[in-house]
Amino acid sequence: MMPNLLKDETNVEKLHVAILAFPFGTHASPLLSLVRKIAGEVPKVTFSFFTTTASNATLFSPNNDCLPNIKHYNVDDGLPEGYVPSGHPLEPIFLFIKAMPENFKSVMDEAVAETGKDITCLVTDAFYWFAADLAQQINAKWVPLWTAGPHALLTHIYTDLLRHACKQVHDVQNVDLIPGFPELKVCDLPEGVIDDTDGPFATMLHKMGLELPRATAIAINSFATIHPLIENDLNSKFKLLLNVGPFMLTTPQPLISDEQGCLEWLNQHKNFSVVYISFGSTIIPPPHELIALAESLEECGFPFIWALRGDPKEKLPNGFLERTITKGKIVSWAPQMEILKHSSVGVCLTHCGWNSVLECIVGGVPMISRPFFGDQKLNARMLESVWEIGVGVDHGVLTKESTVKALKLIMSSEKGGVMRQNIVKLKESALKAVEQNGTSTKNFTTLIQIVTS
Ligand SMILES: *[C@@H]1O[C@H](CO)[C@@H](O)[C@H](O)[C@H]1NC(C)=O
Ligand SMILES: *[C@@H]1O[C@H](CO)[C@@H](O)[C@H](O)[C@H]1NC(C)=O
Ligand SMILES: *[C@@H]1O[C@H](CO)[C@@H](O)[C@H](O)[C@H]1NC(C)=O
Ligand SMILES: *[C@@H]1O[C@H](CO)[C@@H](O)[C@H](O)[C@H]1NC(C)=O
């Protein structure tokens, strides 16, 4: 509780914070965590959380209940009546983008009518460039949340420059434009930065880069010391940049369950001896890569925990499960943060989603990267070339040979030991940021003051 925020009770009761979530991938969940933390500090402020029915359904579990001052509203998902998916995985996202911002506006009007309180602050996913104008029209503040890393945000701020540079030189490979990221390669850039620039997603991100400097403050799920040069550059672009992460340390997290006994299993293993494998909640690598990965695990013989959705018998080589029964544990769901904090885990094979990267940093576990889309390739490049806390597989594809090489490098070479030291240093820096006087803690206090005054 922050008594200084509650001095003027009548004013506080008039405040109405509207939260606009991006209802796809892992965007809405960190935004809800952020808002739960803020709402918990100021019980008299009204919060209205807008997302689609489908997204709302994934946000709540028995362990993640609602706070009384957060009211949830369903925003129209933009799908036509009787929508039949065409099979294009991005189609629902494009239809949603087409429906904004009108779909948000109508349900926001509803929330204002229902509560009798005008909206005083918009807290949105950073994607929502239209919130800059909207906030201005209703005389509210705008506080976007960027859920990925600081270097990824910079590529969207520098989009026009990057496009210009790539037009000038067609065979450009390295784009040495972003301070603190000299190793950045054109092929690492998220889709839509320099190719397919007319698509709905690319257009949204481009406009985001142009509008974000108008925000009252930008919150980011990161910590200031993760990369001082990039932080300085971002700071110079925005009115106020608030590093308020890593969220797993600064915001309320759902209770973990470990029904498949991962931690008990890890207790039986030596320090740094286990390989942990997870590609996040949406990605399943192609069949030939899963088989190559299985073969590489058998070849190396390291104990492993593999979070794998679907039937492992169908996906993995014949007899693999029987042959590795004493070495490996395959689970359909894993308590990832707890696993990464366990001393027996020596490496994490990951798709390099930002949340997973932060969890590996907090766990002090070096990574092998197999990125797929979005910011994942940028993250993989940062791990390998800038922070030196991870390594990729050759040509970004899991083959038996390249995976064996990467596993051995991290688990049993001197270079792997250096990566472990590097990531432990980053971990210590993250832990410092969330101490009582740490930068993330202080920035969080500032964020709460901005949103609730
Ligand atoms: C969101 O989901 C929760 C939990 O299932 C449910 O109680 C709530 O009514 C939903 N909110 C809306 C606006 O549908
Ligand atoms: C294993 O790691 C734990 C936790 O870091 C540590 O306390 C313990 O001393 C280590 N054990 C060995 C044998 O190094
Ligand atoms: C935090 O900073 C204040 C003021 O500088 C100081 O009095 C206090 O002891 C510090 N607290 C911790 C836990 O370091
Ligand atoms: C936010 O954190 C930075 C360090 O990144 C610090 O310099 C700054 O004073 C903090 N700002 C506020 C307003 O809390």
Side-chain angles (χ1 to χ4, degrees), residues 223-225 231 235 240-243 439-440 442-447:
F223 53 101
T225 42
E231 287 304 321
N235 261 319
L240 186 59
L241 178 70
L242 297 170
N243 278 282
T439 53
S440 287
K442 283 186 175 164
N443 276 196
F444 223 125
T445 306
T446 308
L447 177 68

Side-chain angles (χ1 to χ4, degrees), residues 51-267:
T51 196
T52 57
T53 314
S55 152
N56 180 68
T58 66
L59 286 176
F60 296 95
S61 64
N63 302 330
N64 202 355
D65 59 336
C66 302
L67 289 173
N69 54 333
I70 306 181
K71 175 130 207 281
H72 292 263
Y73 292 90
N74 287 329
V75 61
D76 179 33
D77 55 17
L79 303 183
E81 193 91 19
Y83 168 71
V84 181
S86 69
H88 189 309
L90 294 179
E91 192 179 66
I93 303 185
F94 293 169
L95 288 168
F96 184 81
I97 292 175
K98 210 168 151 196
M100 8 178 268
E102 296 313 319
N103 57 348
F104 278 112
K105 281 186 187 161
S106 58
V107 67
M108 282 163 71
D109 288 345
E110 242 174 71
V112 169
E114 209 171 281
T115 58
K117 296 173 190 181
D118 286 333
I119 288 163
T120 48
C121 182
L122 293 178
V123 175
T124 74
D125 195 288
F127 286 174
Y128 293 159
W129 50 271
F130 58 82
D133 279 345
L134 191 54
Q136 196 172 8
Q137 281 158 21
I138 62 175
N139 196 22
K141 296 172 188 174
W142 176 33
V143 180
L145 168 68
W146 177 249
T147 57
H151 50 284
L153 181 52
L154 266 187
T155 64
H156 300 296
I157 298 296
Y158 280 95
T159 293
D160 283 332
L161 243 119
L162 289 164
R163 286 181 184 172
H164 184 72
C166 292
K167 256 196 209 122
Q168 301 276 306
V169 195
H170 284 289
D171 59 350
V172 62
Q173 284 204 332
N174 275 50
V175 274
D176 189 5
L177 281 172
I178 298 193
F181 203 170
E183 310 287 340
L184 176 63
K185 298 202 173 17
V186 170
C187 60
D188 300 329
L189 288 168
E191 303 78 12
V193 172
I194 58 157
D195 52 4
D196 295 330
T197 54
D198 296 331
F201 210 80
T203 307
M204 178 173 73
L205 291 172
H206 184 220
K207 287 186 180 167
M208 171 189 80
L210 300 175
E211 296 289 356
L212 281 180
R214 291 171 65 193
T216 315
I218 296 173
I220 175 168
N221 180 10
S222 187
F223 53 101
T225 42
I226 198 164
H227 197 301
L229 262 178
I230 288 181
E231 287 304 321
N232 283 342
D233 200 43
L234 276 177
N235 261 319
S236 73
K237 305 271 185 291
F238 302 135
K239 288 188 194 153
L240 186 59
L241 178 70
L242 297 170
N243 278 282
V244 291
F247 277 7
M248 53 289 259
L249 301 178
T250 58
T251 65
Q253 298 294 307
L255 286 174
I256 58 125
S257 67
D258 181 21
E259 278 153 25
Q260 288 164 292
C262 294
L263 300 177
E264 177 60 36
W265 187 89
L266 285 171
N267 286 341

